[in-house]
Amino acid sequence: RVAAKIDRVVVLEDAFAQAEEPVADLLRTLLEFISDVLPGMAHGRIAPDGFDPWREAFRIVQAYETWQTFGAFITRHKPNLGPGVKERMQFASTVTATQANASRAVVNKARDHIRQVAVPGTVLALPTAPSIAPKIELSGAELEEFRTRVMRLTCTSGISGLPQMNVPGGTINGCPIGLSFIGWAGGDEALLDLACELSRHCGMAAWDILCFELGDAAGSGLFEMSASQFPNSKPIAELTARMYLDTGAVRFMADKPFIFTSGWASPVYN
């Protein structure tokens, strides 16, 4: 645990550039709306050469380690793997130790860079995903393209080993989108405290009211709303918690707590 007060939020412009325009616009509006409970916001970029070198290095290391764990089982038992998984495991079987070591060097350099930015007191803001969830009828190639886009956003936390928190950002075409915050090493509890601070602004019920007030003229009523115009935060929190538990987005295990990067244990993990 590394205790520190959040005093700076860096909005990652290169991460927002990976999101579809409606997603980026809605999340930027949300950041403006919650600015009264956030510390000073700055704007910056996290990936000097773009996300693809990080994503690809992460993919290769992940594939190599996956095959080291499951390769013998797959070779021996030849399970009937589903589409997508089958192709990724076939790729994993081809990754050599030399390739994995070269990619680890990229990952380690990226890890050091990210941690130099996300120092105690600083959190990074970025879209959780580039778009709403993909349609079920997408082809395998389209799903793989979506997965690549998602990994450009998720690799920052995965590579750095830093805690990441997602809060409900609103809905587009009735589908939820999320806003993420990445904290510093050992800053898990600071992110949870931030979630509590933001809870009255988040959740689909509250955001639907905001979107209704805005109407077609985006931003016209944004700063005219006060917290008192939102529904009571308790039912929103209960509804959101029930949705997370029912969908498996949040897991609860009282008998076998999860271990945070800080070393602390918690029965709740998402």
Side-chain angles (χ1 to χ4, degrees), residues 170 184 246:
W184 58 91
D246 288 347

PDB file of all heavy atoms in Angstrom, residues 170 184 246:
ATOM      1  N   GLY A 170     -21.886   6.038 -19.056  1.00  0.00           N
ATOM      2  CA  GLY A 170     -23.112   6.397 -19.758  1.00  0.00           C
ATOM      3  C   GLY A 170     -23.478   5.331 -20.767  1.00  0.00           C
ATOM      4  O   GLY A 170     -22.931   4.221 -20.742  1.00  0.00           O
ATOM      5  N   TRP A 184      -1.270   4.485  -9.278  1.00  0.00           N
ATOM      6  CA  TRP A 184       0.144   4.160  -9.103  1.00  0.00           C
ATOM      7  C   TRP A 184       0.281   2.806  -8.410  1.00  0.00           C
ATOM      8  O   TRP A 184      -0.702   2.231  -7.919  1.00  0.00           O
ATOM      9  CB  TRP A 184       0.828   5.248  -8.284  1.00  0.00           C
ATOM     10  CG  TRP A 184       0.225   5.477  -6.919  1.00  0.00           C
ATOM     11  CD1 TRP A 184       0.578   4.882  -5.740  1.00  0.00           C
ATOM     12  CD2 TRP A 184      -0.857   6.366  -6.605  1.00  0.00           C
ATOM     13  NE1 TRP A 184      -0.198   5.345  -4.713  1.00  0.00           N
ATOM     14  CE2 TRP A 184      -1.091   6.262  -5.210  1.00  0.00           C
ATOM     15  CE3 TRP A 184      -1.639   7.249  -7.344  1.00  0.00           C
ATOM     16  CZ2 TRP A 184      -2.068   6.999  -4.547  1.00  0.00           C
ATOM     17  CZ3 TRP A 184      -2.624   7.987  -6.697  1.00  0.00           C
ATOM     18  CH2 TRP A 184      -2.837   7.862  -5.321  1.00  0.00           C
ATOM     19  N   ASP A 246     -24.417  -9.697 -10.990  1.00  0.00           N
ATOM     20  CA  ASP A 246     -25.195 -10.611 -11.830  1.00  0.00           C
ATOM     21  C   ASP A 246     -24.482 -10.951 -13.130  1.00  0.00           C
ATOM     22  O   ASP A 246     -24.597 -12.068 -13.646  1.00  0.00           O
ATOM     23  CB  ASP A 246     -26.576 -10.002 -12.149  1.00  0.00           C
ATOM     24  CG  ASP A 246     -27.491  -9.991 -10.932  1.00  0.00           C
ATOM     25  OD1 ASP A 246     -27.157 -10.657  -9.940  1.00  0.00           O
ATOM     26  OD2 ASP A 246     -28.530  -9.307 -10.981  1.00  0.00           O
TER      27      ASP A 246
END
